[in-house]
Amino acid sequence: MANTKLTLSMEPEVVYRAKQYAKKRHISLSKLIQDFLENSIESDNLKDDPDLNIPKEIEKLRGILKGPDLSKKQLKQMKLEYLKEKHGL
């Protein structure tokens, strides 16, 4: 697929920090922004199914810890209990 040029306006400090961030990861600023947008769009599309809305970094960790194999129903119940406690409900 051919690339399309895009002009963005941002605060100079944000551009500087983004360039430093991309440089540390050995990727271009364009690639960094493209990945961010793709992940944002993908995340937005997955909001209808909270079970699928897991960041890639966390998904990679799946299965490395030993413990009980919880069902989706058990996980939803644990999440509900956590949120109730967190928000004082």
Side-chain angles (χ1 to χ4, degrees):
M1 180 186 303
N3 289 334
T4 301
K5 283 193 169 218
L6 173 67
T7 302
L8 302 171
S9 297
M10 294 183 210
E11 295 292 324
E13 178 63 23
V14 173
V15 174
Y16 174 78
R17 290 180 19 227
K19 285 181 178 181
Q20 295 300 313
Y21 183 87
K23 185 177 181 180
K24 286 181 185 177
R25 281 149 189 80
H26 306 288
I27 60 173
S28 68
L29 185 56
S30 293
K31 176 71 173 150
L32 175 69
I33 293 170
Q34 179 176 324
D35 290 349
F36 172 77
L37 291 173
E38 286 176 346
N39 288 334
S40 296
I41 292 166
E42 182 179 319
S43 292
D44 192 48
N45 290 338
L46 295 176
K47 283 184 180 177
D48 294 336
D49 189 350
D51 293 331
L52 296 177
N53 197 8
I54 301 170
K56 291 178 185 178
E57 293 80 14
I58 303 300
E59 185 66 36
K60 290 178 185 177
L61 300 174
R62 182 177 282 194
I64 66 169
L65 299 176
K66 294 184 179 188
D69 187 20
L70 301 173
S71 69
K72 287 183 181 181
K73 184 177 180 180
Q74 290 170 313
L75 290 173
K76 283 185 178 183
Q77 182 62 35
M78 290 172 65
K79 183 177 179 180
L80 179 62
E81 290 172 15
Y82 166 78
L83 291 173
K84 282 182 178 178
E85 183 178 320
K86 178 179 177 181
H87 297 288
L89 300 174

